[in-house]
Amino acid sequence: MQRRTAAPAASSNPPARSHQSHPDAAASLTNSAGELTLPNGDLYSGTLSGGVPEGTGRCVWSGSGCVYEGGWRRGMRHGIGRTEWPSGAVYEGEYSGGFMDGEGTHVAAGSSSSSSYKGQWKLDRKHGLGLQAHANGDVYQGAWVQGQMEGQGRYTWANGNNYVGTMRNGLMSGKGVLTWSTGDSFQGNWVAGVAHGYGLYTWEGGGCYLGTWSRGLKDGKGTFYPERRRVPAARLDDLRKRGVLPDVSFGAGADPEPAEADASLSRRNSGLGRPPMKKRPSLQRRRSIGAAIGVAVGVVTGGPAGPGKTLKCEDTAGSLSQILEREYAQGVLISEVVLDKSLPDSPSSKKPRLGRSRKVKDAKRPGETIIKGHRSYDLMLCLQLGIRYTVGRITPIQEREVRASDFGPKANFWMNFPKNGSPLTPSHRALDFKWKDYCPMVFRNLREMFKIDTADYMISISGSDALRELSSPGKSGSIFFSSQDDQFMIKTLRKSEVQVLLRMLPYYYRHVHTYENTLVTKFFGLHRVRPSSGQKFRFVVMGNMFCTELRIHRRFDLKGSSLGRSTEKIKIDENTTLKDLDLNYSFYLEPSWRDALLKQIEIDSEFLRNHSIMDYSLLLGFHYRARRNLQIGSSCPESILPDKLTILSEADAAEEDSAYNYRGGLILVQRGSDKNGSDAVGPHVRGSRLRAPSGCFEEVDLLIPGTGRLPIQLGVNMPARAEKEEKQEEGSKSLHHMYDVVLYIGIIDILQKYNMTKKIEHAYKSIKYKYNPLSISAVEPQFYSERFLKFVGTAFPQNSSNQ
């Protein structure tokens, strides 16, 4: 017999082939009963042919104690047979070439648990159709491939939850229907055990939600149907015909009967870890349960209800008879629109709305809209009218490269704007004012360089919409305005800052032209207004680096200094600008992207240092994706750090059940073809997109379900992993939480020179208050740059798994 280690418990088989120098002659010999004892102690008794087991017989392996009794062929188990292991596990069924191959039943026995499998085998592995009954009471009946649940099948948990659909690598993946014991159900698309893609969640009471999910969380737009307003059957049939939803007919049929149970055949196939039993929830709980269907099959700590905090993310009271269009961002309800009002005879529509804990509305936008009577109303009118005039005046001039004469005082021009108008200016509602425009040709070319359409620029700032005034996060006393579409920021400047910008403008223009991925502030216009009251207002128009479809959940202004670098606000929200000492995150980027980012920051810092600029900041904002369920000790193991990003082809990205993410939970896809001819990454963004780390494609996009594809550029839409450290009580280890985030990064406040005022400030704080000179923000540019780069490097540490 042939020795094989692949058999589940066999250590050796009686050698046979070495005795057959002439196989054909041996095969012709008449079988005879006998016994064969090998030198290692293995014992065979049964029919022999030429000294080789052939026919039926019994073999006892001395080393392992396994016993086999059944058919033999040419010294190997073949045909129908039965193997028994010392543990009590038994396999009875078909063999081929010494392997369990064909139909067979395996029953594993143990003192504390039991499991069994009845079905098809191939080369000692479950392969084909089979029924597995686990020790914990779970049952799976369906297709297997190489020992893993793969293909169509039904998985029933001991608590009554039931899944019918496609499996992949032992997890729900593809299209399927999950039904809870409470009566709730979800039919739709799955990836790696969680709802991902289009689906229909139905509550036991009859209400349902039809929409999209991302990694177990509602993400994007969908429709909520109350108990008495069902989804039109024609719509469901159409979705099933097109393959968007699974055909529920494959879920019909009786539940499989559990097979005999015994201990696990192996730890790999020991069971799927059932989700925790759900209590019969209230309607509010059942509604919110659909926001987090993250049923991680095989993870005991997971469950259909997901994290408890997600149960608070929906507004459900008072909506029992209305069809609603809802929009979610990672499980959080951000907007709601009534599509069809209450039924006339609906008793629920007559009930008062009680217990509304929150209003459903769009995310709060920072700032205060400037309306008539606002302290900045007249100033806003002057700004809008002046910019409209300036852009309209410069646009007809033929495009050309900037010249030396386009810089400096001689390039500026001014104009009077009387309230009743003049031959060159229209009448307006504001007070009389004088308008001055600095270097208009230079800023026109800068706008074109950053791919800003002239009409869009004018409509955004000078259209019918009012600007918003923002509270200043700094100590400069500057006033900030924002356009209603959030594309542009307008900041008032001191006279000294205007002088710095004008002196630096030729070099700034050359810098941004040379380094298309520069992170320094994008300037689009420099102007001055002098109302009839006499006070001058100088302001600059800049790009808003946080202009994105994604909500910015946290934002930081980082200088690298420590003195006074913490926020004094007790209540912190997503519009609060935090500072250096508030930063308790580390951001892990793909290594090549990290190197490119730090290199560009170093180049930009060197540019500012050469012009004696200091006190600039790295403005960093990020958008949370779904929170990772991970808490670890004071150090991070390498396994939680990203190494390589999974890149999908454009075809794969179109299939929801093929959309696998890298370990950070963010999906990269091949750069999409732009059918509209627009190749811009975003508002006022230029430069090359980031390349895939694997080198599979030239450029990649970030796929955000419910939002779309976001092109990735240096400092824009950059996917990363954020590690948040939370300090505990003394003597306890710090907790580290991991998040998937999308980063937005830029360098701001680049108009402060290290002048005599700053030198005096440094000396005053160092001597009078005895502060550490190294912690003061006002330091000479060389040291400021070195400290700034060092701090940024610590905020973006290297991935230890890639060192």
Side-chain angles (χ1 to χ4, degrees):
M1 288 180 294
Q2 177 187 10
R3 175 182 293 269
R4 282 174 48 274
T5 58
S11 61
S12 65
N13 294 323
R17 298 182 184 273
S18 59
H19 296 279
Q20 292 186 354
S21 56
H22 302 284
D24 295 336
S28 65
L29 298 177
T30 302
N31 293 354
S32 59
E35 293 186 356
L36 183 63
T37 302
L38 299 181
N40 62 4
D42 295 349
L43 176 63
Y44 170 82
S45 60
T47 57
L48 298 168
S49 177
V52 176
E54 185 83 20
T56 59
R58 183 175 186 271
C59 180
V60 179
W61 282 268
S62 61
S64 63
C66 297
V67 178
Y68 169 78
E69 187 170 358
W72 294 83
R73 184 180 180 185
R74 296 181 180 179
M76 291 183 289
R77 292 170 293 175
H78 191 88
I80 303 299
R82 183 178 188 272
T83 299
E84 183 174 351
W85 285 268
S87 64
V90 176
Y91 171 81
E92 188 168 1
E94 296 179 334
Y95 287 83
S96 178
F99 294 92
M100 294 183 290
D101 201 305
E103 294 286 340
T105 300
H106 183 279
V107 179
S111 59
S112 60
S113 61
S114 58
S115 66
S116 64
Y117 171 80
K118 182 178 181 180
Q120 297 175 325
W121 297 77
K122 185 176 182 180
L123 300 177
D124 287 343
R125 292 187 178 184
K126 303 165 190 174
H127 191 89
L129 298 179
L131 186 149
Q132 172 84 53
H134 294 290
N136 57 11
D138 295 353
V139 176
Y140 172 74
Q141 184 178 29
W144 296 76
V145 175
Q146 296 292 321
Q148 292 278 6
M149 293 177 287
E150 188 93 13
Q152 291 293 321
R154 176 194 295 270
Y155 195 98
T156 304
W157 286 267
N159 62 6
N161 297 337
N162 181 71
Y163 171 77
V164 181
T166 307
M167 309 287 287
R168 179 179 294 172
N169 296 324
L171 298 172
M172 299 182 292
S173 290
K175 293 179 174 61
V177 179
L178 176 63
T179 305
W180 282 273
S181 58
T182 60
D184 293 359
S185 67
F186 175 81
Q187 52 180 297
N189 294 276
W190 300 81
V191 169
V194 295
H196 187 86
Y198 209 73
L200 173 66
Y201 191 97
T202 304
W203 289 277
E204 180 265 342
C208 61
Y209 178 81
L210 183 66
T212 54
W213 274 256
S214 172
R215 301 291 162 182
L217 299 174
K218 289 178 184 174
D219 204 333
K221 291 185 177 181
T223 307
F224 167 77
Y225 295 86
E227 295 180 10
R228 303 187 62 191
R229 310 296 297 275
R230 299 184 180 278
V231 183
R235 184 180 182 187
L236 290 179
D237 291 340
D238 179 64
L239 292 174
R240 293 189 177 110
K241 287 179 182 178
R242 292 191 287 117
V244 178
L245 291 180
D247 185 355
V248 293
S249 63
F250 67 64
D255 291 338
E257 293 294 330
E260 288 188 42
D262 219 317
S264 304
L265 172 61
S266 66
R267 294 191 64 178
R268 180 186 62 213
N269 297 315
S270 60
L272 285 186
R274 64 170 176 252
M277 174 70 76
K278 290 196 304 182
K279 296 180 180 179
R280 200 170 184 82
S282 64
L283 177 62
Q284 182 174 359
R285 178 179 171 87
R286 291 203 304 270
R287 293 257 182 92
S288 56
I289 216 174
I293 296 185
V295 185
V297 179
V299 181
V300 178
T301 57
K309 63 180 292 185
T310 60
L311 301 180
K312 302 177 182 178
C313 69
E314 291 207 41
D315 174 31
T316 58
S319 303
L320 302 184
S321 59
Q322 296 174 330
I323 297 177
L324 307 172
E325 180 184 81
R326 287 176 168 172
E327 183 175 2
Y328 292 83
Q330 286 290 288
V332 178
L333 181 62
I334 60 175
S335 66
E336 182 177 88
V337 177
V338 177
L339 298 181
D340 192 1
K341 295 186 178 180
S342 305
L343 289 170
D345 59 346
S346 174
S348 61
S349 64
K350 301 177 183 179
K351 296 180 181 180
R353 296 192 173 189
L354 301 176
R356 282 183 81 94
S357 59
R358 63 184 295 269
K359 294 182 179 180
V360 180
K361 60 182 180 180
D362 291 333
K364 181 181 178 182
R365 302 176 72 186
E368 178 183 6
T369 300
I370 302 174
I371 60 176
K372 191 171 184 178
H374 192 280
R375 61 183 179 276
S376 300
Y377 181 73
D378 287 332
L379 177 59
M380 178 193 72
L381 294 179
C382 295
L383 299 182
Q384 291 180 319
L385 182 59
I387 290 176
R388 190 184 306 129
Y389 174 83
T390 296
V391 176
R393 176 181 178 274
I394 199 71
T395 299
I397 300 177
Q398 186 177 2
E399 295 183 14
R400 59 173 175 80
E401 291 292 328
V402 295
R403 306 165 182 165
S405 59
D406 294 326
F407 300 91
K410 293 184 179 181
N412 308 333
F413 79 92
W414 63 271
M415 178 66 64
N416 283 320
F417 281 80
K419 185 174 183 178
N420 296 326
S422 70
L424 299 177
T425 62
S427 59
H428 54 86
R429 294 173 293 170
L431 300 175
D432 296 352
F433 69 93
K434 289 186 177 181
W435 175 265
K436 187 173 184 179
D437 201 9
Y438 297 91
C439 306
M441 183 59 71
V442 176
F443 287 104
R444 168 187 151 162
N445 281 25
L446 285 172
R447 292 194 294 270
E448 292 173 352
M449 189 185 302
F450 289 105
K451 303 178 182 179
I452 295 177
D453 181 78
T454 300
D456 292 341
Y457 182 75
M458 292 178 64
I459 293 173
S460 180
I461 299 177
S462 305
S464 58
D465 291 331
L467 303 177
R468 299 198 315 275
E469 182 174 338
L470 311 177
S471 60
S472 175
K475 301 178 181 179
S476 63
S478 299
I479 302 174
F480 287 81
F481 301 96
S482 172
S483 60
Q484 283 293 341
D485 60 5
D486 289 324
Q487 287 197 48
F488 304 100
M489 301 285 291
I490 301 173
K491 176 186 178 182
T492 60
L493 300 179
R494 300 187 302 272
K495 182 177 181 180
S496 60
E497 292 176 311
V498 172
Q499 293 172 345
V500 170
L501 178 54
L502 290 175
R503 283 195 293 265
M504 190 174 64
L505 191 57
Y507 309 96
Y508 171 86
Y509 185 92
R510 186 186 310 156
H511 181 80
V512 297
H513 185 272
T514 304
Y515 301 99
E516 58 181 7
N517 290 314
T518 180
L519 300 176
V520 297
T521 305
K522 280 74 174 176
F523 295 125
F524 303 132
L526 182 62
H527 316 283
R528 191 189 74 183
V529 170
R530 184 177 181 179
S532 57
S533 60
Q535 183 180 1
K536 297 178 182 178
F537 292 91
R538 302 169 182 87
F539 58 93
V540 63
V541 181
M542 308 175 292
N544 179 13
M545 56 171 286
F546 291 153
C547 180
T548 171
E549 296 177 63
L550 304 180
R551 290 174 62 182
I552 302 299
H553 295 108
R554 286 291 181 270
R555 56 192 75 201
F556 291 87
D557 181 289
L558 307 173
K559 295 180 180 293
S561 57
S562 58
L563 182 61
R565 298 298 296 165
S566 63
T567 183
E568 298 177 354
K569 292 184 66 174
I570 298 177
K571 183 179 179 181
I572 296 175
D573 57 28
E574 62 188 38
N575 294 321
T576 304
T577 301
L578 304 173
K579 299 180 182 179
D580 301 63
L581 298 180
D582 304 315
L583 183 66
N584 55 349
Y585 292 86
S586 295
F587 301 96
Y588 294 94
L589 292 166
E590 197 283 326
S592 63
W593 297 357
R594 174 187 180 271
D595 294 341
L597 177 66
L598 296 184
K599 179 62 176 178
Q600 185 60 56
I601 293 176
E602 182 180 359
I603 292 173
D604 292 337
S605 180
E606 181 181 6
F607 164 75
L608 298 175
R609 182 181 69 239
N610 292 339
H611 290 85
S612 300
I613 302 296
M614 43 75 65
D615 214 26
Y616 47 88
S617 305
L618 184 79
L619 186 60
L620 183 150
F622 59 87
H623 166 82
Y624 284 122
R625 297 305 292 166
R627 179 174 179 174
R628 300 183 59 82
N629 296 324
L630 177 63
Q631 288 190 356
I632 59 178
S634 58
S635 62
C636 285
E638 293 182 1
S639 60
I640 69 171
L641 303 178
D643 46 11
K644 293 184 179 179
L645 310 181
T646 295
I647 314 297
L648 303 181
S649 67
E650 194 165 8
D652 289 338
E655 301 181 8
E656 290 292 342
D657 56 357
S658 299
Y660 288 103
N661 64 337
Y662 78 98
R663 283 185 286 175
L666 295 169
I667 308 170
L668 302 185
V669 294
Q670 183 180 3
R671 174 183 173 181
S673 58
D674 198 330
K675 299 179 182 179
N676 298 325
S678 174
D679 196 38
V681 175
H684 59 76
V685 176
R686 60 188 279 267
S688 59
R689 303 186 188 186
L690 293 179
R691 299 175 182 271
S694 61
C696 300
F697 308 109
E698 285 289 322
E699 296 166 344
V700 289
D701 295 341
L702 175 63
L703 180 63
I704 304 290
T707 300
R709 303 165 66 111
L710 301 179
I712 304 172
Q713 192 194 1
L714 210 62
V716 181
N717 301 327
M718 294 187 71
R721 304 280 302 284
E723 177 193 354
K724 182 180 180 181
E725 179 182 3
E726 291 185 356
K727 296 182 179 180
Q728 304 297 304
E729 298 178 357
E730 293 184 5
S732 301
K733 290 185 176 181
S734 298
L735 289 180
H736 292 245
H737 301 272
M738 297 301 295
Y739 300 85
D740 303 323
V741 297
V742 183
L743 297 179
Y744 298 86
I745 304 168
I747 298 177
I748 61 171
D749 297 336
I750 62 172
L751 300 179
Q752 178 60 60
K753 295 198 72 170
Y754 189 60
N755 51 25
M756 184 57 66
T757 302
K758 288 296 179 180
K759 293 177 181 179
I760 294 174
E761 176 186 344
H762 176 84
Y764 182 78
K765 291 181 177 180
S766 300
I767 299 173
K768 183 174 180 61
Y769 296 104
K770 300 181 180 179
Y771 291 140
N772 183 355
L774 302 182
S775 67
I776 300 173
S777 179
V779 293
E780 61 91 19
Q782 178 66 35
F783 179 79
Y784 189 96
S785 174
E786 295 172 356
R787 185 180 63 185
F788 176 79
L789 294 175
K790 182 178 180 181
F791 183 85
V792 172
T794 60
F796 294 89
Q798 286 186 324
N799 298 334
S800 58
S801 58
N802 293 286
Q803 290 180 349

